[in-house]
Amino acid sequence: MITQQRVMEILQEAGVLLEGHFKLTSGRHSNKYLQCAKIFRNTKYSEELCAALAEQYQNDNVQIVIGPAMGAVQMAYEVSRPLHCENFFAERDENGKMTLRRGFAVNPGDRVLVVEDVVTTGGSVREVIDLVKEAGGIVVGVGSIVDRTGGKIDFGVPFRAVISLDVQSWEPENCPLCKAGAPAPVKPGSRKI
């Protein structure tokens, strides 16, 4: 089992934790951003963190690991390796709806683990959960490298993270950085708002 100290060492070494004024995918603002894509630049980071997450689901008979594109494409692959199962990703169609394409399919009764690199509001995760359920799959859990909610989020299935951090975020109208006249927030994530 990986220690929280080791996880923080990896996040710092990989340059994941950024400070400034950020606009999150949810539309909320924050003074911290976790650029978990940097974890996947080097397999020494991704392999260790994803194996630690997979270990938490090793007894759940996971058959498929699915992550939403973009942030969890590589993550789904890395988490599936120690679980010895299939992996694929969900992506948005031309209307912005999360879907399975490229021949990926969940069959009735398939046991699915949904993964996401960072969970803040869980919006993308909930969309993937709905996709799996609509196909008749069984969501055995949700896993993330970083839980930004400090353990406060509930997906209705077991949720496990490699590390849980309580990182503050605010609705734009309540953002203390905006109120203090800080430069406009940066949007480092992959999804348009």
Side-chain angles (χ1 to χ4, degrees):
M1 187 74 152
I2 194 168
T3 66
Q4 298 299 285
Q5 178 182 344
R6 176 62 185 142
V7 175
M8 289 305 294
E9 286 171 5
I10 292 170
L11 297 181
Q12 290 167 350
E13 189 178 316
V16 170
L17 185 59
L18 307 176
E19 297 192 9
H21 187 195
F22 302 99
K23 185 174 185 178
L24 307 175
T25 298
S26 64
R28 295 174 66 86
H29 291 199
S30 182
N31 62 342
K32 292 183 174 43
Y33 186 80
L34 294 140
Q35 185 55 272
C36 282
K38 289 185 174 185
I39 291 168
F40 297 96
R41 293 189 314 181
N42 191 319
T43 56
K44 75 179 182 179
Y45 304 134
S46 61
E47 185 173 12
E48 187 173 357
L49 292 174
C50 291
L53 181 60
E55 183 179 352
Q56 296 181 55
Y57 286 96
Q58 67 186 354
N59 297 319
D60 290 285
N61 300 314
V62 175
Q63 295 172 291
I64 304 169
V65 177
I66 302 177
M70 281 295 304
V73 172
Q74 290 172 286
M75 183 180 172
Y77 172 79
E78 277 292 338
V79 172
S80 75
R81 290 177 63 216
L83 293 173
H84 307 289
C85 66
E86 284 190 281
N87 72 88
F88 43 84
F89 55 90
E91 58 190 309
R92 298 194 180 281
D93 65 15
E94 59 279 351
N95 299 314
K97 183 176 177 350
M98 196 65 78
T99 187
L100 294 174
R101 296 167 47 175
R102 306 171 197 269
F104 298 147
V106 172
N107 297 307
D110 283 348
R111 298 178 58 79
V112 179
L113 173 62
V114 177
V115 297
E116 176 68 292
D117 56 352
V118 179
V119 168
T120 303
T121 63
S124 297
V125 168
R126 290 181 203 286
E127 289 180 75
V128 177
I129 288 172
D130 289 346
L131 261 179
V132 171
K133 288 181 175 180
E134 286 169 15
I138 300 163
V139 179
V140 298
V142 172
S144 71
I145 293 174
V146 178
D147 167 19
R148 280 182 57 116
T149 75
K152 297 176 188 134
I153 199 158
D154 181 5
F155 293 109
V157 296
F159 173 51
R160 300 175 187 131
V162 178
I163 192 164
S164 184
L165 304 170
D166 196 0
V167 181
Q168 284 190 299
S169 67
W170 311 275
E171 291 297 334
E173 61 274 9
N174 298 325
C175 176
L177 301 171
C178 291
K179 288 179 180 179
V186 175
K187 171 67 177 86
S190 62
R191 188 164 25 139
K192 295 178 185 175
I193 297 178

